[in-house]
Amino acid sequence: VQLQESGPGLVKPSGTLSLTCAVSGGSISSRNWWSWVRQPPGKGLEWIGEMYHSGSTNYNPSLKSRVIMSVDKSKNQFSLTLSSVTAADTAVYYCARRDSGLDYWGQGTLVTVSS
Amino acid sequence: QSALTQPASVSGSPGQSITISCTGTSSDVGSYNLVSWYQQHPGKAPKLMIYEVSKRPSGVSNRFSGSKSGNTASLTISGLQAEDEADYHCCSYAGSGTYVFGSGTKVTVL
């Protein structure tokens, strides 16, 4: 299984961050949850949320009001949307598959929030 | 939902054993046997090392072991090697479908 994040590397403050994670070597409709994790520069990991192919989602309570996750089964990919971004949202964003733990990860993509 | 507490750094000499702690609360670590550990080398994605407190994925060295007591989980690395120098992150289920990571620990091999 391989995961690959894609999306803009620069987002303006108050704007919306949108990322996509393409899954290859496996089906997004498998019995796994699909997750997003981020890491601000020089800091630890933060769990953003996860979704199932049925559309069920779980979000970090601290981000819940700004996060939307969705799945596109036809393209075997899932997406993250984070609204009203500030500089504090600058981070490397990873997508990952959760089986027993987060066992497959994308390489990560740096998103910078700046005008 | 606060981050789990890990020591900022732990160091050891080659061949020694080190233990990294991960302290949470009765709402996360203390309530579920769903603690996982991740190794992260600089500029790389995290790698799953331990899941469900003490289980090792296929391919992970048996020098890595996990345990839990109360609200604190631990990762022990025995026979420390130069390649073990990395950041280590714990993660726990926190109820209601949510997860929380630890603050991260930098392991240095002296």
Side-chain angles (χ1 to χ4, degrees):
Chain A
V1 176
Q2 292 185 317
L3 293 86
Q4 178 67 59
E5 305 90 349
S6 62
L10 182 64
V11 181
K12 289 185 175 3
S14 77
T16 297
L17 178 161
S18 295
L19 296 174
T20 297
C21 181
V23 179
S24 58
S27 172
I28 202 163
S29 297
S30 62
R31 294 172 62 181
N32 298 111
W33 286 76
W34 302 93
S35 308
W36 289 96
V37 176
R38 70 181 183 180
Q39 185 171 36
K43 297 187 177 181
L45 300 173
E46 180 179 28
W47 183 79
I48 299 173
E50 62 179 12
M51 71 173 306
Y52 199 66
H53 62 78
S54 64
S56 296
T57 55
N58 294 307
Y59 298 144
N60 185 323
S62 68
L63 299 171
K64 189 173 184 177
S65 63
R66 300 193 290 130
V67 171
I68 297 175
M69 294 182 184
S70 60
V71 64
D72 187 335
K73 295 180 189 178
S74 66
K75 294 183 178 179
N76 214 41
Q77 64 186 32
F78 61 107
S79 299
L80 167 70
T81 299
L82 181 66
S83 61
S84 303
V85 298
T86 69
D89 294 310
T90 293
V92 174
Y93 285 75
Y94 295 100
C95 58
R97 186 187 83 166
R98 183 171 69 79
D99 189 353
S100 298
L102 297 170
D103 57 355
Y104 288 97
W105 293 69
Q107 64 185 26
T109 186
L110 174 63
V111 178
T112 301
V113 178
S114 175
S115 55
Chain B
Q1 193 184 57
S2 298
L4 308 176
T5 301
Q6 297 181 234
S9 63
V10 173
S11 61
S13 299
Q16 286 187 330
S17 293
I18 62 169
T19 297
I20 304 168
S21 61
C22 170
T23 301
T25 68
S26 57
S27 297
D28 38 60
V29 175
S31 288
Y32 309 98
N33 289 324
L34 292 173
V35 176
S36 52
W37 289 89
Y38 302 86
Q39 176 192 66
Q40 186 181 30
H41 288 107
K44 301 294 187 182
K47 175 187 175 183
L48 178 65
M49 305 301 284
I50 295 287
Y51 65 96
E52 294 176 9
V53 176
S54 60
K55 298 178 181 178
R56 274 189 311 276
S58 174
V60 172
S61 171
N62 59 9
R63 297 186 299 104
F64 292 85
S65 61
S67 62
K68 190 186 86 167
S69 178
N71 296 338
T72 298
S74 300
L75 174 71
T76 297
I77 309 174
S78 58
L80 199 61
Q81 299 180 359
E83 67 204 51
D84 300 332
E85 185 161 295
D87 292 330
Y88 290 82
H89 309 271
C90 62
C91 180
S92 175
Y93 182 67
S96 301
T98 68
Y99 291 81
V100 60
F101 277 97
S103 46
T105 298
K106 181 178 179 59
V107 168
T108 300
V109 181
L110 301 171

